[in-house]
Amino acid sequence: MNQSEERQQNIQRVIKTAQDLFVKNGVVNTSVNRIAQESGLSAMSLYRYFSTRENLVLEVWKDSLSVFYGVFMRKYEEHIADAKNGYELFLRCMDTYIEIYAIHPEWFDYTREMFVSFAGQKAAERDAEGQKDRDFWEKFYTWIPMPALKAMQEGQEDGSIRADINVYGAYQLIHNVYTGVSITQNFTEDIHPNDLIRFTTDLLANYIRSDS
């Protein structure tokens, strides 16, 4: 193994180790020293690979999205084999999200922490180093498959979803509920996330369905 291969192997080990720790203990509660210790490397090595803790967190989050949507899309493809139109695709998509979070409830907390931490920041409050964060979020929507949005768009094309619905606004609502970045988190602390997701999904499904 040459030096470049060893470097890439170490980086991937750090990312996977940090991912497990972030999901288990939370991002805020996980130090670089702990990640280094669990990875079998020095903290200095981690900073050499990622420059800053924020860069490490973003790289781990990027990998986490790949893992989550890999699992999600496999299950989603299983559920849509007999879907007849975009509206049914939308329902199957929502059911798949709920199924995933039921199996992996820790993913919901991790997702919410990441979005509250990064998406909740005002751009004006970010310094020059934060440009990397802005670039990340600008690219974010090209990295994930967004099946709910695509299903609603297809539903408008085939007539199963109302043509007067702003599907981007509807998708934003879904995004807010599924990531916990919503005003509702201020007064729904005692409600299980999947219950809130199901309730919102049912309301939205009834609203967007075409009567024709």
Side-chain angles (χ1 to χ4, degrees):
M1 181 185 301
N2 60 40
Q3 189 174 10
S4 177
E5 291 173 336
E6 182 178 3
R7 174 186 173 85
Q8 288 306 312
Q9 187 179 77
N10 287 342
I11 288 174
Q12 286 305 307
R13 185 163 77 250
V14 170
I15 287 175
K16 291 301 184 183
T17 299
Q19 188 177 103
D20 290 341
L21 290 171
F22 288 165
V23 171
K24 181 180 179 181
N25 303 317
V27 179
V28 174
N29 297 324
T30 302
S31 68
V32 170
N33 287 336
R34 175 69 185 282
I35 297 170
Q37 181 182 18
E38 294 290 331
S39 302
L41 299 168
S42 67
M44 185 178 297
S45 294
L46 267 64
Y47 284 113
R48 186 165 63 249
Y49 294 146
F50 300 97
S51 299
T52 67
R53 184 180 188 278
E54 289 71 24
N55 286 344
L56 170 59
V57 171
L58 283 171
E59 289 302 314
V60 174
W61 178 229
K62 191 188 305 182
D63 186 79
S64 299
L65 288 174
S66 176
V67 171
F68 176 86
Y69 278 99
V71 173
F72 174 89
M73 291 305 294
R74 286 193 293 272
K75 288 188 174 294
Y76 179 55
E77 293 295 334
E78 293 174 1
H79 294 336
I80 63 174
D82 61 343
K84 300 180 180 61
N85 51 48
Y87 180 73
E88 291 190 4
L89 288 175
F90 173 79
L91 295 180
R92 306 293 171 81
C93 178
M94 298 299 98
D95 287 342
T96 304
Y97 270 116
I98 292 171
E99 179 182 351
I100 292 292
Y101 280 131
I103 297 172
H104 300 285
E106 69 277 7
W107 287 6
F108 184 90
D109 293 332
Y110 176 46
T111 300
R112 177 163 52 188
E113 182 177 10
M114 289 303 300
F115 273 95
V116 169
S117 175
F118 287 98
Q121 296 182 47
K122 295 179 181 178
E125 296 174 352
R126 299 176 181 177
D127 56 19
E129 183 66 27
Q131 181 62 46
K132 294 181 180 179
D133 295 348
R134 289 192 290 275
D135 291 343
F136 172 80
W137 292 114
E138 288 174 0
K139 296 176 181 176
F140 172 79
Y141 293 104
T142 67
W143 290 343
I144 64 175
M146 295 190 293
L149 177 60
K150 293 176 182 177
M152 287 189 287
Q153 291 172 327
E154 185 171 329
Q156 287 190 321
E157 292 176 1
D158 63 36
S160 60
I161 288 178
R162 287 168 46 186
D164 62 326
I165 294 295
N166 183 331
V167 294
Y168 292 99
Y171 181 76
Q172 184 63 54
L173 173 62
I174 296 168
H175 182 273
N176 288 347
V177 172
Y178 276 68
T179 59
V181 185
S182 170
I183 191 173
T184 59
Q185 67 186 354
N186 294 326
F187 56 87
T188 58
E189 294 180 357
D190 295 330
I191 299 177
H192 190 279
N194 263 6
D195 292 337
L196 180 59
I197 292 170
R198 172 55 70 189
F199 178 74
T200 305
T201 296
D202 289 345
L203 287 177
L204 186 58
N206 287 330
Y207 177 69
I208 67 175
R209 182 178 57 199
S210 174
D211 294 329
S212 59

